[in-house]
Amino acid sequence: MDLQTLWFVLIAVLWGGYFLLEGFDFGVGMLLPFLPRNERERGTMFETIGPVWDGNEVWLVTAGGATFAAFPDWYATMFSGFYLALLLLLLLLIVRVLSFEWYSKSESAGWRKVWMWANALGSFGASLVWGVGLANLLYGVPINSSGDFTGNLADLFSVYTVVAGLAFVLLFAFHGATFLTLRTSGDLCERAARVARRLSVAAALVGAGFLAWTVAVAVDRNDKDVFPPILSAALGVGTVVLAVAFVFLRRSAWGFAMTALAAVLTVATLFTGLYPRVMVSSTDFGNSLTVDSASSAHYTLKVMSVVALIFVPLVLLYQGWTYYVFRRRLGLDEEESEGAQSTAAASET
């Protein structure tokens, strides 16, 4: 495997890791207005992702930085062509970040409601934009012979890319619900399990349809053979079907594992359908950017590989330790306290 292909794969892995981890963050955010029954439960939902959401964003920053360094022409064309969409995405992510910091700054119900909805809308909007944006890499956008984007914002929207956005929203909401079944307890956990079951069928149907359509788009618009995209798509469909089965069987851990794997396989399907191109041109297929034409010099990629070999394992160890530290279910203390108060009241009578 040459270094250009290696870094294409590594960038795909970074996107897969980002959606695996940030996907359940987005999902929890989207469920904030609907799942909890009171402020205490809503605060518990914030606490489930509070210690880890910023660490999950590191995968996004690393993916963007790796693209800039390894494939500068891809980065330039993508960020200039998707400028307005990325500006909207940045706004949504900033609002979402502020909601984590400001939600607990006041006890006012109105104040907390504003920031709860800010997190929910930011999570929904970011999921939608990510789906639309990544699907456009494969579906194709107007690119001229100089590698410059020549379209406008409307060119980013087609039936396929909108379905991609909806598939990301449903998958992340499902992923977030399964995550909550592992991190909460009591009534909140039971309601999260019910929501996961309700979301599962819709997420499976839309997700499976999107994956199958992605294979067709790769063949039709990117001159790809059916294999290997169909392999990752088939595995993705299989994992989301298993996720549905596990949530109905009340196997929370396995359900979460399957939604996590489905998020990774969705990225794998898009990137296997895209390779050896990094952006498809819809106006002239010959203008499409490839891993060879868009990459940095060999020496640059070699230095990046050495740096990645040293630091990536350290980052993975640190993030794994963080999840280990914050592995305990939330809500147990409140339930034990309420149970003790009930017992005390009963003994007094």
Side-chain angles (χ1 to χ4, degrees):
M1 182 185 295
D2 57 37
L3 288 178
Q4 288 92 340
T5 301
L6 173 65
W7 273 98
F8 180 85
V9 172
L10 289 177
I11 288 170
V13 169
L14 290 170
W15 281 111
Y18 174 64
F19 289 130
L20 184 158
L21 298 172
E22 194 70 356
F24 65 72
D25 281 2
F26 288 148
V28 172
M30 285 186 270
L31 296 175
L32 280 170
F34 313 109
L35 187 59
R37 288 179 176 169
N38 52 51
E39 284 301 319
R40 180 177 64 80
E41 290 186 346
R42 189 166 289 115
T44 298
M45 288 178 64
F46 268 104
E47 289 176 30
T48 61
I49 55 177
V52 298
W53 69 265
D54 49 353
N56 296 342
E57 295 284 354
V58 170
W59 290 78
L60 171 62
V61 175
T62 307
T67 304
F68 172 77
F71 300 99
D73 290 349
W74 181 14
Y75 182 93
T77 303
M78 181 169 59
F79 274 69
S80 62
F82 298 175
Y83 180 78
L84 291 177
L86 291 173
L87 188 63
L88 172 61
L89 178 66
L90 182 62
L91 176 63
L92 291 167
L93 292 176
I94 289 173
V95 168
R96 185 170 172 271
V97 168
L98 290 175
S99 72
F100 285 109
E101 301 297 329
W102 290 2
Y103 173 80
S104 60
K105 296 297 184 182
S106 171
E107 297 294 330
S108 167
W111 173 272
R112 292 196 166 192
K113 186 175 182 180
V114 166
W115 293 110
M116 176 270 293
W117 277 105
N119 192 292
L121 293 175
S123 299
F124 171 84
S127 303
L128 185 69
V129 173
W130 278 131
V132 171
L134 287 182
N136 267 292
L137 298 179
L138 177 62
Y139 191 76
V141 293
I143 300 174
N144 64 19
S145 58
S146 300
D148 298 323
F149 178 82
T150 58
N152 53 50
L153 183 63
D155 290 315
L156 303 183
F157 294 93
S158 64
V159 178
Y160 169 72
T161 59
V162 171
V163 169
L166 294 176
F168 273 52
V169 168
L170 286 169
L171 177 59
F172 291 164
F174 184 24
H175 192 29
T178 60
F179 173 76
L180 287 173
T181 63
L182 296 179
R183 294 285 285 118
T184 59
S185 58
D187 290 341
L188 181 57
C189 182
E190 287 298 319
R191 269 179 273 122
R194 286 199 297 270
V195 168
R197 290 192 290 271
R198 291 170 184 168
L199 286 168
S200 63
V201 176
L205 291 174
V206 177
F210 166 66
L211 289 171
W213 199 348
T214 297
V215 175
V217 168
V219 173
D220 180 53
R221 301 181 69 89
N222 196 30
D223 195 28
K224 288 284 292 185
D225 293 330
V226 172
F227 186 87
I230 196 170
L231 176 60
S232 55
L235 291 172
V237 172
T239 56
V240 78
V241 170
L242 285 174
V244 174
F246 283 128
V247 297
F248 275 95
L249 291 172
R250 300 180 182 273
R251 298 291 188 90
S252 299
W254 281 105
F256 174 74
M258 290 301 104
T259 56
L261 190 55
V264 173
L265 287 170
T266 298
V267 174
T269 302
L270 283 167
F271 275 77
T272 54
L274 187 59
Y275 183 82
R277 278 156 283 279
V278 293
M279 284 187 76
V280 175
S281 172
S282 59
T283 49
D284 185 344
F285 187 67
N287 295 337
S288 301
L289 302 182
T290 68
V291 292
D292 292 326
S293 66
S295 69
S296 294
H298 179 81
Y299 180 75
T300 301
L301 297 178
K302 187 175 180 179
V303 171
M304 289 175 61
S305 301
V306 174
V307 172
L309 186 63
I310 296 171
F311 288 102
V312 169
L314 296 177
V315 172
L316 291 175
L317 286 172
Y318 173 77
Q319 193 157 31
W321 175 79
T322 301
Y323 277 95
Y324 177 78
V325 169
F326 295 103
R327 68 192 183 280
R328 185 174 180 270
R329 287 181 182 269
L330 299 178
L332 292 173
D333 293 339
E334 293 87 343
E335 290 173 19
E336 291 169 359
S337 176
E338 291 173 0
Q341 291 173 4
S342 299
T343 302
S347 63
E348 289 175 2
T349 57

